[in-house]
Amino acid sequence: MRRLGGFAILALLVVILAFRFWPRGSVPVTKGVSAEVSSDRAHAAPLFATPVRESGIAGTVFDPRQRPLAGARVCASRSDAGVQATGPALCVETDAGGRYALRGLAPASYEVTASAEAFAAASARDGQAIPLGEQASLTDIDITLRLGGAKVTGVVLDATGGPIAHASVRGVRFASPMATLVVEGDDRGRFTLWFPPGQLSVSAEADGYAPSGVDVRAPATNVEIVLTPGAALRGVVVAAGSGDLVPNIEVRAAPIANPSTTVFRSSMTDPEGAFVVKGLEPGTYALVAAGAGWRGELPYPVPLGLTASVENLRIEVQPAAEVTGRVLIAKTNEPCARGFARLGPPDPTQAPPGEAELQRAPPAGAPTSALEFTSIVGAGGVVHFPAVPPGRYYVSVQCFDNVLREGPRVLDIGTKALADLTWKVGPGGRLTVVVVDEANHPVAGANFLIRMPQSDPKGSVPILPGQANEDGRFEYPAMLRSGSYEVTARPPFEAQHVTVELPDRDEAVEAKLVVVGSGAIVATVHAAGGEPVEGLQVSASLEAGADAGSPTLYGAVTLGNARYRIGPLKAGRYR
């Protein structure tokens, strides 16, 4: 089933399930040994550079009969804070005995995925993050592949239509079984991915270009990903007041519309405090510099055109507090394997803090902050905020299939470090939405909204988006707090809203949404030469009378192999 959460939950899945995991550069592959993307430290953080104390993950890939599978591709993608947007994947191929070894991994949490021709890609431990400590060696991280893989083929092109050779292509499947796979295009820009049938996000990146991606449904052919030349930002980071150059500071370039996004391009400053953020799409960016005990922002947004380069930027940083803690499972005290913590304004998806915390007076000069900081749960359940400015912050903690049960919900932060904080989580409510038409047939791809309970009567009502899978179902993780939830269809579809109550415990609740209409249009799209065309936006409009306003458009759901389904539809004539 496809699974999702809300404001905070959606952020978790976007980050943790690898939504838009942009690789940095192409990924070479060798037989039976690790291969990694090299990077200039002055220009980009070496996320997979071999640490002083080497760590690794090893195991065996099996076929459905538990026979070792030679030549399978195995990739490890980091799933901790900040690297989703820019972190490369480390990939190897299994040897004749089906064995693989990913060496030189930095201490972090990883998703490990395997794929092979005609098999459906699968992840170790059902896609759960695998924490890897310093100087750790994990063995027997085995993966079993199933037959029935759906083939996705395509090409990476530049803006003129020419092929881009050896681009790094990443496919991400969000529904269960979750999987992330990275391949390298050939000399003509062509690539092949093998996944379980269903919806995928496929992205590409190459040196000198900004990343781009498309959503497709496997199986699919002739998928085209068009990359535009990337822009760059260059400058230095200095300490406010003294003007001293500050090395080893991460500089993030985030779209100005969402400066707190966890999807960003970044660079580390070199020993002279210089940075270069490359591969940026045209747009306007906010620049934030942060490192252990330092934080600052460029006081103005930076507009970037196609292939532009902005030079001589100067970011001043000031002392900030380092905040560290752990997220544990309340029942077992085991570390959370997949989750995140957020510091910022009140989160309407979370239960409100207790009165005692709210009545505590914040320190002078530390008002409630409008800034937001997110840390993905790393190895050992650790969350780390390297540089948080003074202020009062509300805490939001999510661990997959759990909600926050114990721990501080409000932090008053000055300039001194906060350490050894502990938050404990336990199962929350489970909600499954089933979408059918008036003939009780499942509606694949149906979009709907869920109104969550209000934590603040004076605040806004949190709304969660959702989309049904191929079976018309959508399961939210057990990360919802108790209360009343209302499910409604999104236009242009119509349905009577459904209200359900979620208890304050791990209990499954189902909401059935009946959409008006029972007809459907299925179309197959081919180019003039007969080639199937994927990735289109296909829609139908209901013909209206002369007195009617603008026609209503109904969007299509991709079925794979250039087939598109529009429905359910009411009786009438459509164009």
Side-chain angles (χ1 to χ4, degrees):
M1 297 180 184
R2 191 173 180 180
R3 312 182 82 177
L4 186 64
F7 177 80
I9 302 170
L10 181 59
L12 171 62
L13 292 184
V14 167
V15 175
I16 297 173
L17 305 188
F19 181 57
R20 305 299 185 209
F21 279 23
W22 300 123
R24 189 186 298 278
S26 60
V27 183
V29 176
T30 59
K31 298 273 187 179
V33 297
S34 63
E36 64 183 81
V37 177
S38 62
S39 177
D40 183 352
R41 182 173 177 81
H43 295 165
L47 300 175
F48 284 86
T50 303
V52 175
R53 297 178 178 177
E54 186 176 278
S55 299
I57 299 175
T60 304
V61 178
F62 296 97
D63 69 10
R65 296 184 180 180
Q66 292 301 297
R67 297 176 299 189
L69 192 59
R73 185 179 181 85
V74 183
C75 295
S77 300
R78 280 182 62 167
S79 59
D80 51 351
V83 302
Q84 281 77 11
T86 56
L90 183 64
C91 298
V92 298
E93 288 187 1
T94 58
D95 62 16
R99 295 178 294 268
Y100 73 90
L102 298 156
R103 305 187 190 282
L105 297 173
S109 292
Y110 293 87
E111 179 185 0
V112 180
T113 298
S115 71
E117 184 173 349
F119 292 87
S123 294
R125 298 183 180 176
D126 295 324
Q128 292 187 12
I130 299 173
L132 184 66
E134 194 169 352
Q135 205 176 8
S137 181
L138 299 181
T139 59
D140 299 326
I141 306 299
D142 299 337
I143 304 172
T144 299
L145 299 183
R146 298 179 180 178
L147 290 170
K151 189 177 183 180
V152 177
T153 62
V155 63
V156 182
L157 305 172
D158 62 23
T160 67
I164 299 176
H166 305 291
S168 181
V169 180
R170 183 182 302 246
V172 182
R173 175 182 166 91
F174 308 121
S176 179
M178 298 175 290
T180 299
L181 181 64
V182 179
V183 298
E184 182 180 337
D186 64 15
D187 291 340
R188 299 173 62 184
R190 298 172 302 186
F191 64 87
T192 300
L193 298 165
W194 288 91
F195 271 92
Q199 197 74 20
L200 303 174
S201 175
V202 182
S203 60
E205 182 175 338
D207 289 340
Y209 293 87
S212 184
V214 296
D215 292 329
V216 301
R217 183 174 294 273
T221 57
N222 299 323
V223 175
E224 292 187 356
I225 303 177
V226 180
L227 304 185
T228 57
L233 297 171
R234 292 179 169 85
V236 295
V237 176
V238 301
S242 68
D244 293 338
L245 298 170
V246 184
N248 202 33
I249 295 291
E250 183 186 30
V251 178
R252 300 180 178 184
I256 191 63
N258 186 14
S260 298
T261 179
T262 53
V263 178
F264 52 80
R265 305 290 277 168
S266 69
S267 166
M268 297 294 290
T269 57
D270 66 12
E272 286 72 45
F275 68 86
V276 182
V277 183
K278 296 181 177 180
L280 296 169
E281 298 177 279
T284 302
Y285 291 87
L287 283 181
V288 178
W294 294 98
R295 189 184 187 281
E297 302 179 22
L298 197 68
Y300 54 88
V302 181
L304 274 178
L306 188 66
T307 72
S309 179
V310 178
E311 312 277 347
N312 302 319
L313 298 170
R314 180 184 173 95
I315 304 176
E316 293 188 352
V317 292
Q318 299 189 19
E322 187 173 7
V323 179
T324 57
R326 298 183 71 200
V327 180
L328 305 176
I329 306 298
K331 188 175 181 179
T332 63
N333 272 337
E334 292 292 319
C336 169
R338 183 187 301 176
F340 74 95
R342 170 185 166 274
L343 305 180
D347 183 348
T349 69
Q350 299 278 292
E355 288 297 324
E357 287 188 294
L358 291 175
Q359 290 176 2
R360 185 180 66 225
T368 299
S369 177
L371 299 173
E372 296 182 11
F373 301 91
T374 301
S375 172
I376 305 303
V377 174
V382 173
V383 291
H384 177 227
F385 302 90
V388 183
R392 166 164 283 190
Y393 295 84
Y394 288 77
V395 181
S396 173
V397 175
Q398 295 280 8
C399 179
F400 200 72
D401 278 345
N402 290 275
V403 296
L404 179 59
R405 297 294 185 184
E406 303 175 28
R409 296 174 184 261
V410 176
L411 293 178
D412 293 315
I413 297 175
T415 57
K416 294 183 179 180
L418 292 180
D420 300 325
L421 299 172
T422 300
W423 293 276
K424 294 190 176 183
V425 297
R430 297 178 181 270
L431 176 61
T432 298
V433 177
V434 181
V435 186
V436 298
D437 61 19
E438 290 180 314
N440 204 37
H441 297 138
V443 181
N447 293 306
F448 55 87
L449 299 172
I450 294 183
R451 298 180 184 274
M452 293 185 67
Q454 282 184 274
S455 56
D456 181 2
K458 298 180 181 179
S460 60
V461 178
I463 297 178
L464 316 181
Q467 185 181 55
N469 65 6
E470 294 86 350
D471 301 319
R473 301 176 67 86
F474 196 109
E475 181 181 346
Y476 288 87
M479 299 164 62
L480 301 177
R481 61 189 179 89
S482 60
S484 180
Y485 290 75
E486 183 181 280
V487 186
T488 61
R490 296 185 68 176
F493 300 110
E494 304 172 13
Q496 187 73 29
H497 73 264
V498 178
T499 300
V500 293
E501 292 288 334
L502 259 63
D504 189 21
R505 58 183 179 274
D506 183 9
E507 181 176 312
V509 175
E510 184 173 287
K512 187 173 184 178
L513 192 66
V514 181
V515 178
V516 174
S518 58
I521 299 171
V522 177
T524 303
V525 182
H526 294 276
E531 303 88 356
V533 182
E534 299 280 353
L536 298 177
Q537 291 184 345
V538 179
S539 61
S541 61
L542 177 63
E543 290 187 354
D547 297 333
S550 300
T552 301
L553 290 177
Y554 295 85
V557 175
T558 60
L559 301 177
N561 289 326
R563 299 174 69 242
Y564 302 83
R565 181 182 185 276
I566 308 171
L569 300 172
K570 296 179 287 187
R573 293 179 59 86
Y574 291 84
R575 301 185 61 177

